[in-house]
Each structure stands twice: as structure tokens, then as C-alpha cells.
Amino acid sequence: MKRPPTLIAISLLAAMLLTLSACGSDDPTATPTATSAPGETPAPAATPTPTLAPGVTPPPATATPTPAPGVTPVPATPTPVPTATSTPDPSFDAAEHFGGKTVRLVVPFGAGGGTDVQSRYFAAHLRDYIPGNPRIVVSNTPPQDAALNRLYNHIEPDGYTMLMTSGNRTQAQFESDAITFEFDKFRFINTFGSPAGISFVGNGYSYSRIQDAIGKTDDELIGMVAGPDEANSQLWAATSEFLNIPLKFILGPGSGTSQLYAAFDRGEINLIPRYGGILWYTVPVQRPGYVAEGTFEPFCVCMPRGVRPSGNAEGPLPGDVMNPIELMVQHGVDQGDIEDLELLAEVTSRFAKMLVLPPDTPQPVVDALRKAFDDLLANPQLNAEFAKLQGQPVSITPGAEIEQILSRTVPLYGEIQNRFQRFTDLAEERLN
């Protein structure tokens, strides 16, 4: 289907997001530290960004993403935009505020997945870095969007409840009537990993690489999703449609790694669909040997064009693992369709794990928790342990920078979100 010329708002958002994109998403090689959008001055973190884990050597710089066809890149030297700085409130006593309290860290996924394991690591050490040394407990309350709804609407903004998301949930608030949160209104502590969207296949699927499956009807991809309106469902349904690869979805209790691994191990699915996320890096931690022994194969690089993850603990990413968006260009897919899919991929894969607080959490409380996490990950021993746990070095994007980026991009995304309804329709067609 031919598309009309891209709207100014779409070009602006796509160009901005392409410029912002950083390599890397669920899991030991270095990846580039996230940078500010063009024209932005990075907001100061409470403490200096931690160094990489001891002994980790950063990989060569990743190639700059190629803008989508028809998209005008943002000028390299636009007028600087002032950034907000936070001044410590001398009247706020963090030790008094947190002392004797219990801080709940919500994990909106089941136990045993990457987000759960990482949250429990923080819980084991964080009290030593929060003034007043409060008790820290982990609470598993899937599914993710329902947990975000509760945090947004029902949790007091006092800093006693925080949540770790799998990543950016911007698109959810525009594409599901069940969503009652506005993602850009949350307060953000930080994010500490770099995205690396790799999808995997196995369980007897006939093709180990996406380019070999194009146009083949002798086998079918089967993936588990939480619903047709989640980003992975939409993006994979569009990939199936545009590249003519048979695909069906089964509904599961969620899209966290623990549920996906369990379904794969039971033989219910042969595709682990991932646009964004850090699964590539956490596989050696969560399923040692699965990649090295070929239990499943890296099927494609589901990231913006020109961005490619470095290797994980079990070896480099094979050179023949291709990007489906680049394949769409090669196979003559309509330019407007490609631009829409790439825009949605950019919005959903910009950040990996994000530590979130309720809207209207007072700045002194936010600052205290930002400093606690920064101080924890600035400890060389804990930094190295966590880097090993998540399968990649710590690479913090400060919460203030996240909030600035979302405040600019979410309104633009809202103006054009109706263009993605057809991706939801494609996902619904593939539900079993």
C-alpha cells in the first residue's frame, strides 16, 4: 500500500530518535554509553557515571544509524536547549524520611527472569546506600502495564515504592484502552544497560537466519505474546507481513524472559521475539550454553538500521545475522511502511531497563534515590558483579536525561500513533 509523504512531525521524531539511538537491551562486552539528544546538554547525575566493570574493554565504536528513507537528519549543531538542574533541598532529611521504612521494588514479571534477578541484586545491596537504611523488598506483580497503572494511579509519591520496567512503554498508553498511565509523567531514577534487540529461533524451525525464511511457506514461526497491542507483537506481525514469513502467536501470561524461556523449553514456541531488550546479553546468565551449543540461534538483529550489538559472554554475534528492516529495503517494501515500522521500533527500543517512581514524587526524594543507585554502581566490586549478572558493563543514562527525552518525543509520538493501528490488526490476525 502506497503511503502519503511523511508528516513533518513524523520526520522530526524519527530523525530525533535515530540520532539518539545507542547500541545495545535483557544481557560481557562494553557497549556505548547513552548520549543526549542533539542540542541537549546532559543533565548532571547525582554522582559521576560509574566506570565499566574492571577488566572490560569497550568495543570499537558502533556505526551511526542510517536515517530512514525520506527522513531529514537533525542538524549537527542546533541551538542548545537549557536543561533543568536540581539544587539539594537543605530542609529535606533523607535519613529521617527513609529511616525505619520499607521500600518496595516492584518487578512486573514472574520470578526467575532477567528483570527479577537484577532487581533482587539491587535489593540485596541498596539499603546500604539509601540514607536511613530502609528495608528493601522485591514484589513480583505481573503483567507490566497493570503494574504501571497501579504505580501511576494508586501509589503515594513518597519514594517507598519503585518499579523496574523492561523498557520504554510509551506506545502502550496510546494503543490500549486498558492503559491509564502516561509514561512520560513518571519520575525516572536511571537506566543502566544498553539495548540489544536479538530475536532467536529453535525447536526444529527450518531456518536459522531470517533472510533464509523470506517467502518460504514450508514452516511457521510461533511466538508467545501478552497481547496484540504490545510492541513486540506489532513489530513482528509487520515483519511477517512485509517479508512474507509465516507467523502465528499464542497468548501467554506475559512477555518476560522467564515466561518465554519456559514456553520455549516446553516446545510450545520456536521464536523468541525481541525488538529492543537486552536478552542477547543475559542469555549466557539465564540459559548458559543455549547460544554456544545451538539450542537456539540468533535469527535477526531487531534494532534501528546501522546499529549492531557487540558480542556476549559466549562469543561474538555471527556476521550473517541480518536486520529485518534492511532486508525490507532490499526486497522493495513500500518506503512508507518501512518508515512507520522503523519509527515504532525506535520509540520502543530507545531504553532498556528503567527504574521508575510515581508521578509527582518530590525532587528531594528522587535525588536521594538517584544518588543511592549511582553510589551503589560506583562501587567497583558491586559494579563488576552487576555487569556480570546483566551480561554487559554498566552504562547509566541519568533519570533527568530520560525525562527530558520523553518530554520531547512522547507528544510527537501521540500525534502520529494512529498510524500503528494496522500493526495491531496484523498481530490480531496471527493470534492462534
Side-chain angles (χ1 to χ4, degrees), residues 232-247:
N232 276 320
S233 307
Q234 296 170 323
L235 291 163
W236 257 104
T239 298
S240 165
E241 181 78 7
F242 298 156
L243 292 179
N244 190 21
I245 300 174
L247 166 70

Side-chain angles (χ1 to χ4, degrees), residues 171-205:
Q171 95 288 346
Q173 71 196 60
F174 296 106
E175 295 168 6
S176 172
D177 293 337
I179 302 303
T180 57
F181 62 78
E182 296 180 64
F183 195 71
D184 53 316
K185 300 299 191 296
F186 285 113
R187 301 303 313 274
F188 294 87
I189 298 173
N190 65 25
T191 183
F192 43 82
S194 298
I198 302 292
S199 292
F200 296 89
V201 291
N203 281 336
Y205 183 68

